[in-house]
Amino acid sequence: IYEKANTLKEAAEKAVSLLRHRQVKGTTDVRAEFIEIARSAKKKLNREQKYLRGLFSGGTLAYESMVILGRSFGDIYSNIALNPDYLLRDSHQSEKHTIIDLGEDEFTQGKPHPMIDPSLRNQFIIKESRDPETAVILLDIVLGYGANPDPAGRALEAILEGKKEAAKEERHIIFVASVCGTDADIQNREEQVKKLEDEGVLVFPSNADAVMFVKELLS
């Protein structure tokens, strides 16, 4: 219990373990079914499709994603890059594996935060879907007071459009997401997850799980 947590998910498990005075363990980082899903999804990609495009509404999960992926892929390009050598020259233009924090000041000055108004992220989703090198688009869906009343529904507007754009060139984009919230939130996590899954989005229990899946898919 007292060993360092490597992800937010592990930190939550350790916190609950301390409160309950017993070891609590959630899902493992890479479950067997994750690997099977990855193998199946990988078959739908063509040779040019090899990069991740992470479009996050906030920095915390974006940072976590870069830390996890960096262990296998090396540094990730970003507008909040962990290594300054990988800072994007233009935050609107991805380079290889890229993770963008759309909650950064450069995107929110004079505008609502993307957790409230996901319009900007939707533009990015469609833009990345048009890139022939995009294999996976990774999203965080954040629930709670102050967040959009239907973040999954708003994201699907762009996801479905992005799929159409890719299909025009006979490409398949893999959309991966995690939903941060609970069924007690006003948006209801279970309902949000179902909306996404009904349209073919792969939804994982946590951001860490989603990122580990992406690592398995692209490794």
Side-chain angles (χ1 to χ4, degrees):
I1 294 175
Y2 298 103
E3 294 178 359
K4 184 181 79 170
N6 294 308
T7 65
L8 295 170
K9 172 186 164 183
E10 288 182 15
E13 290 172 351
K14 289 177 183 296
V16 174
S17 296
L18 288 169
L19 286 170
R20 296 185 179 179
H21 304 289
R22 62 180 177 83
Q23 187 76 31
V24 174
K25 190 68 175 173
T27 56
T28 57
D29 282 335
V30 182
R31 299 180 299 180
E33 56 263 43
F34 286 15
I35 297 173
E36 289 304 314
I37 295 170
R39 286 175 179 166
S40 176
K42 193 177 295 188
K43 294 176 183 178
K44 300 177 181 179
L45 301 175
N46 64 38
R47 291 183 178 180
E48 290 186 349
Q49 292 179 275
K50 50 190 174 183
Y51 294 125
L52 161 70
R53 302 294 157 75
L55 303 174
F56 285 82
S57 60
T60 302
L61 298 180
Y63 274 120
E64 179 183 58
S65 301
M66 287 190 287
V67 170
I68 295 172
L69 291 173
R71 297 169 191 155
S72 298
F73 296 162
D75 292 306
I76 309 292
Y77 284 94
S78 177
N79 62 326
I80 55 168
L82 300 177
N83 180 340
D85 291 340
Y86 286 77
L87 188 67
L88 288 172
R89 291 168 289 182
D90 179 353
S91 295
H92 289 81
Q93 185 60 52
S94 296
E95 299 181 46
K96 299 183 179 180
H97 292 307
T98 295
I99 289 176
I100 299 177
D101 172 14
L102 291 160
E104 272 288 279
D105 290 348
E106 62 185 305
F107 295 118
T108 58
Q109 289 182 1
K111 301 175 183 178
H113 191 279
M115 281 176 55
I116 301 169
D117 180 6
S119 300
L120 179 62
R121 179 160 75 172
N122 281 1
Q123 293 172 24
F124 269 79
I125 290 172
I126 295 170
K127 178 176 175 291
E128 297 293 1
S129 296
R130 290 173 177 155
D131 187 337
E133 292 188 320
T134 299
V136 184
I137 294 179
L138 174 64
L139 307 171
D140 62 334
I141 305 296
V142 183
L143 313 184
Y145 289 106
N148 188 274
D150 183 18
R154 290 299 307 277
L156 282 171
E157 296 169 8
I159 290 170
L160 295 176
E161 180 64 25
K163 286 185 174 184
K164 289 180 182 178
E165 291 290 328
K168 291 177 183 177
E169 299 177 356
E170 298 184 343
R171 289 184 291 108
H172 176 80
I173 303 289
I174 300 169
F175 286 91
V176 178
S178 63
V179 179
C180 181
T182 72
D183 293 345
D185 283 312
I186 56 172
Q187 299 90 345
N188 188 289
R189 184 181 185 279
E190 183 179 0
E191 293 177 5
Q192 292 285 295
V193 170
K194 186 176 187 305
K195 279 187 180 183
L196 294 167
E197 291 183 334
D198 284 349
E199 297 296 342
V201 179
L202 301 177
V203 184
F204 292 90
S206 70
N207 181 63
D209 286 319
V211 175
M212 292 298 288
F213 167 79
V214 170
K215 187 173 79 168
E216 178 65 31
L217 178 70
L218 297 179
S219 60

